[in-house]
Structures are given as structure tokens and as C-alpha cells.
């Protein structure tokens, strides 16, 4: 795993040298600068785990820099240092978002303790953000069918390894959920999970998005930009819909997989990264290979562990549980009392084939939670195509649901 990256910001070179020596001895990666503007530049160019920020510096002082840092990247953990601190200054720094405050001359013991606590705080903050995002998005694999239990078993086996995983499934089936579950159960769970939707990024921008670019690399490149592979260093990158990636970009991704190295667009410096790659596609990549649209060598490097996500129509016994889960989720998000679905209405859910899979089901339930005026969602509340004019198999599906219970 990569070492934690700490930035030291102090106009006194002696302080920079002392802190660097102490922290490098502890195994941390250290960058040091002598002014607040230089620190803000590093904030844009580098991935930082912790900043030591001096308060009294010429030009922009530490408090001004702290306010700017928190505005740009609120999640960044900052420890303030000062030789002329007052209680008022410490209180102001805390209100601006500083995690801790230590005084000069720096004590070795106090400095190392501050670093340990600050990095632990950063880790917990990342975990909490990931959990909140998971809850906000409904990021759980819900279901008790044999297909879902098999999928969970595959995730449990693949996750603790560093093996690359190629996830296949229809649109909306839950490929992203599988990727996130693999990351969450891996040894990289505390490091970044970076998602790239290859189908949503224009061809002329995909290389810059993946590998970053240097200032002046092309028209509009007014500053250095860190790419997704660099942002995912130490963690996991998820290349969604990789079948939409051009052959040119595929060749560059192949090099990263082989060498764990790349150059930014317009740059000459070779950057080393430690990234686990997960990829997903709704296309038949072997057919794409036969048609000359996908590199065979890239396919076999990605498909070390292939995982298939079943379509919702193949696991309809999971539908009642998914409906209940999404009702609870969207009722809480919209401040509404949880609704229930009548047996008659649920029969329509079971009869429908859900071509959009779980994503379509989720959107339908969100709509019904918001738009249904009563506490019970009945057949009359269901819009097309969920409720056709003449539901031929409703009674059969009601009986099926009773059997499932």
C-alpha cells in the first residue's frame, strides 16, 4: 500500500527539515513548501492525506490558507502549527475546520501523536462518507434468491485478493453495486474507490480523464489535472462500460495494467501507481473481439475473475424484498411515512419483466412513494408499463407471492 502523503507548509526551512526528517523516519511520504500559495497549488496537483500548516507566514497567513483549503476540499485534514499562538487564534482555527493545533517548539512525541490521530480521523471520515453515500444511493445488494447468494459468494472470494474482476450484466442489473461490494470487502477498503463511466466521457477527453494532463497540453488545459488512475492510487478504479472505450485508449489502459505506470497527457514524467482494476460491461466482449472492437489481450488481463450479475427477471423472488427496501429508503429520504404495497399491486410487479432491471424498479418505487397520496399503494396507482390494461396473469402471480411467503 502507498505511504500516507503529508504536506508541510512553513516559511522556516529549519522547521520543514525537522518535520520532514521525523516523519520520513516513520515511513510517511513528505512534501514541503514555504508559502500558502504554494500549498494551494500542491492541493490541486497532489493527493494529500494530511497538511501541517503554519499560521504566521508572510503574504497569505495560515488562517487564510485554511479557509481556502476547506472551501476547495472540505475533507482535507489540517493540523495548525504556531510559535505565537493565542487561545483566540486556536479557537478561530478550529472554527475554520482545523483538526488539531500544536505549538512550537515541536515536541517529537506530540507531533507523532498528532499525526497518528489526524490520519485515523481522516480514515474514519472516509469510511463515514462512503457509508452515507451507500445509504443515500441504496447501495446494498438485496435479495435471498439462489442467484444472489451465489453472487455474494463470488464477491466474498474475489474481494480479499488483488485479482482483476470483469463484471458482466445488463444495464441496471447492479454491476456498480458488485464493484463497490468488492472494494468494501477488500484490503483496500480504506483507500479511494474511483468510478469512471467510459460511455459517458467523450473520446477526446477520456485519456485526460483517466491519466490527467499537464498545463498547456491542449487548448483549455490551464492547469495540471490529476487523472482517475492517480486519484485511485492505493485503492480501486472501476471502469464501467469498458466496451465503449476506443482501441487507442484500451492500449494505454493495457500498459497501466502491465506496468502500473503512465504519463499524463502532455507530460514526460512517468507516474507509478498501485491500483486494483475492476471493469464492467453490458456487451459481449468476446463478440467485440471477433469484430475487432476490443483488444483480446486487454480482455484476458481484465477477466482474471469473471462475475455475472443476474437480470432481475431471472430472480423475481427477490422483487418483494427489493420493493420493501426501496420504499423504506425513499420514504426516509422524502420525510414520508413508510407505505405498503397491496398484494394485488405486488402481483403486477411480479408479472412485469423489468427490462431496466433493479434500476427501473428503484425508479418506479421512488415515483410511487412520492406520488401516491395514500399509505397503501394499490393497482390503481401503478402507471404503464407496470400495469397493462388487461393483466392476464395477475391472479397467478398473487398465488405465486403467497407461495413465496
Amino acid at each position: 500500500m502507498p505511504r500516507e502523503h503529508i504536506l508541510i507548509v512553513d516559511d522556516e526551512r529549519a522547521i520543514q527539515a525537522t518535520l520532514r526528517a521525523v516523519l520520513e523516519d516513520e515511513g510517511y511520504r513528505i512534501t514541503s513548501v514555504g508559502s500558502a500559495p504554494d500549498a494551494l497549488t500542491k492541493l490541486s496537483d497532489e493527493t494529500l492525506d494530511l497538511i501541517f500548516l503554519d499560521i504566521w507566514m508572510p503574504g497569505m497567513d495560515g488562517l487564510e490558507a485554511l479557509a481556502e483549503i476547506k472551501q476547495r476540499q472540505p475533507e482535507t485534514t489540517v493540523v495548525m502549527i504556531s510559535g505565537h499562538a493565542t487561545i483566540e487564534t486556536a479557537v478561530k482555527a478550529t472554527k475554520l475546520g482545523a483538526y488539531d493545533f500544536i505549538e512550537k517548539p515541536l515536541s517529537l512525541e506530540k507531533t507523532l501523536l498528532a499525526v497518528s490521530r489526524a490520519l485515523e480521523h481522516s480514515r474514519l471520515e472516509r469510511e463515514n462518507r462512503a457509508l452515507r453515500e451507500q445509504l443515500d444511493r441504496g447501495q446494498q445488494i438485496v435479495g435471498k434468491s439462489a442467484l444472489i447468494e451465489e453472487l455474494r459468494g463470488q464477491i466474498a472470494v474475489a474481494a480479499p485478493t488483488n485479482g482483476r474482476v470483469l463484471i458482466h450484466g445488463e444495464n441496471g442489473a447492479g454491476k456498480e453495486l458488485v464493484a463497490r461490494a468488492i472494494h468494501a470487502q477488500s484490503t483496500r477498503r480504506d483507500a479511494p474507490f474511483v468510478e469512471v463511466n467510459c460511455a459517458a466521457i467523450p473520446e477526446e477527453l477520456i485519456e485526460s480523464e483517466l491519466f490527467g494532463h499537464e498545463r498547456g497540453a491542449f487548448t483549455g488545459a490551464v492547469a495540471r489535472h490529476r487523472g482517475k488512475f492517480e486519484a485511485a492510487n492505493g485503492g480501486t478504479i472501476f471502469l464501467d462500460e469498458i466496451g465503449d472505450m476506443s482501441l487507442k485508449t484500451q492500449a494505454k489502459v493495457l500498459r497501466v495494467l502491465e506496468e502500473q505506470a503512465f504519463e499524463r497527457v502532455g507530460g514526460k514524467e512517468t507516474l507509478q501507481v498501485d491500483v486494483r482494476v475492476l471493469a464492467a460491461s453490458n456487451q459481449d466482449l468476446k463478440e467485440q473481439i471477433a469484430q475487432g472492437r476490443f483488444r483480446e489481450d486487454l480482455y484476458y488481463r481484465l477477466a482474471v475473475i469473471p462475475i455475472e450479475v443476474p437480470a432481475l427477471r431471472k430472480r423475481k423472488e427477490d422483487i418483494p424484498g427489493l420493493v420493501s427496501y426501496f420504499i423504506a429508503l425513499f420514504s426516509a429520504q422524502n420525510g414520508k411515512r413508510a407505505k405498503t404495497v397491496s398484494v394485488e399491486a405486488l402481483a403486477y410487479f411480479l408479472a412485469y419483466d423489468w427490462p431496466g432491471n433493479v434500476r427501473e424498479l428503484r425508479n418506479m418505487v421512488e415515483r410511487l412513494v412520492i406520488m401516491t397520496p395514500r399509505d397503501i399503494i394499490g393497482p390503481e396507482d401503478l402507471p404503464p408499463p407496470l400495469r397493462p390494461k388487461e393483466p392476464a396473469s395477475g391472479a397467478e402471480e398473487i398465488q405465486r407471492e403467497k407461495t413465496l411467503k
Side-chain angles (χ1 to χ4, degrees):
M1 293 287 290
R3 298 173 296 169
E4 287 98 339
H5 190 182
I6 300 175
L7 174 65
I8 300 167
V9 188
D10 199 304
D11 61 323
E12 296 182 56
R13 291 189 177 276
I15 296 294
Q16 289 186 32
T18 301
L19 272 176
R20 175 185 287 275
V22 168
L23 297 177
E24 284 183 341
D25 283 347
E26 294 296 316
Y28 299 113
R29 177 187 168 201
I30 305 300
T31 299
S32 59
V33 295
S35 70
D38 287 344
L40 296 175
T41 299
K42 289 294 181 183
L43 188 70
S44 301
D45 292 348
E46 307 283 350
T47 301
L48 301 170
D49 297 294
L50 174 62
I51 298 176
F52 271 102
L53 180 59
D54 187 28
I55 289 183
W56 304 112
M57 293 183 291
M60 178 186 285
D61 67 24
L63 293 178
E64 292 177 275
L66 174 62
E68 184 66 23
I69 289 168
K70 287 299 178 178
Q71 183 176 1
R72 294 187 187 185
Q73 293 187 15
E75 70 280 4
T76 302
T77 302
V78 181
V79 173
M80 307 301 292
I81 53 179
S82 175
H84 309 284
T86 64
I87 294 177
E88 182 182 356
T89 303
V91 169
K92 187 172 182 179
T94 303
K95 287 183 177 179
L96 286 172
Y99 171 73
D100 202 354
F101 193 104
I102 57 177
E103 294 182 274
K104 299 176 183 176
L106 300 177
S107 157
L108 174 60
E109 183 179 346
K110 287 183 179 180
T111 300
L112 293 179
L113 183 60
V115 170
S116 176
R117 287 176 174 173
L119 291 174
E120 176 67 9
H121 169 77
S122 296
R123 184 185 66 79
L124 292 174
E125 282 289 303
R126 286 196 301 270
E127 287 183 2
N128 288 336
R129 280 197 304 274
L131 287 172
R132 285 196 297 271
E133 289 174 5
Q134 182 174 327
L135 291 172
D136 290 344
R137 298 183 185 181
Q139 299 283 355
Q140 291 187 29
I141 299 175
V142 176
K144 297 181 180 179
S145 64
L147 287 173
I148 285 298
E149 292 297 348
E150 181 182 355
L151 179 63
R152 288 196 182 97
Q154 291 176 316
I155 291 169
V157 171
T161 72
N162 276 316
R164 301 182 195 108
V165 181
L166 180 59
I167 306 163
H168 182 264
E170 296 178 5
N171 281 335
K175 298 186 291 295
E176 180 191 347
L177 291 186
V178 172
R180 288 183 177 275
I182 291 170
H183 175 73
Q185 296 177 40
S186 75
T187 57
R188 298 171 181 260
R189 68 180 69 87
D190 296 332
F193 176 89
V194 177
E195 180 182 2
V196 183
N197 187 338
C198 302
I201 303 172
E203 170 59 27
E204 62 272 16
L205 297 178
I206 185 70
E207 288 187 37
S208 170
E209 191 69 16
L210 289 174
F211 309 116
H213 63 252
E214 295 291 348
R215 180 179 180 181
F218 50 83
T219 302
V222 296
R224 175 187 286 175
H225 168 70
R226 290 185 295 118
K228 299 296 188 182
F229 271 96
E230 196 173 348
N233 192 24
T236 304
I237 191 168
F238 174 47
L239 303 176
D240 197 9
E241 301 306 343
I242 197 167
D244 291 304
M245 186 180 286
S246 71
L247 289 170
K248 178 184 175 184
T249 308
Q250 288 175 36
K252 295 199 173 185
V253 170
L254 180 63
R255 183 204 167 190
V256 178
L257 298 185
E258 291 175 336
E259 302 177 12
Q260 293 278 286
F262 61 91
E263 290 85 36
R264 298 188 185 104
V265 176
K268 297 180 180 179
E269 179 188 4
T270 299
L271 303 175
Q272 296 287 333
V273 289
D274 171 21
V275 177
R276 184 183 190 182
V277 177
L278 311 179
S281 179
N282 64 351
Q283 303 178 42
D284 184 340
L285 293 183
K286 289 188 176 180
E287 179 63 27
Q288 294 286 89
I289 292 169
Q291 295 176 9
R293 297 177 182 173
F294 199 83
R295 294 181 62 112
E296 186 174 23
D297 47 3
L298 177 58
Y299 172 82
Y300 285 112
R301 280 175 173 79
L302 290 172
V304 175
I305 306 172
I307 291 181
E308 183 76 25
V309 183
L312 184 56
R313 64 181 175 276
K314 295 181 179 179
R315 56 180 187 103
K316 284 195 172 183
E317 59 266 45
D318 290 330
I319 288 176
L322 283 163
V323 170
S324 297
Y325 173 76
F326 288 133
I327 285 177
L329 176 69
F330 293 121
S331 295
Q333 285 185 0
N334 292 281
K336 293 180 176 291
R337 188 163 57 184
K339 302 179 187 296
T340 56
V341 178
S342 71
V343 174
E344 293 80 5
L346 189 58
Y348 288 97
F349 280 84
L350 292 164
Y352 185 56
D353 270 344
W354 301 102
N357 291 292
V358 178
R359 183 184 298 141
E360 184 184 7
L361 174 66
R362 174 195 171 103
N363 292 343
M364 178 63 72
V365 174
E366 182 177 14
R367 172 180 176 177
L368 292 169
V369 165
I370 294 171
M371 300 304 295
T372 303
R374 296 168 300 280
D375 289 343
I376 297 177
I377 299 171
E380 66 279 6
D381 300 309
L382 307 181
L386 186 55
R387 183 168 67 93
K389 292 182 179 179
E390 296 294 335
S393 58
E396 296 174 6
E397 293 298 335
I398 293 172
Q399 184 59 45
R400 177 182 175 184
E401 167 58 16
K402 289 179 179 178
T403 302
L404 288 174
K405 289 181 177 179

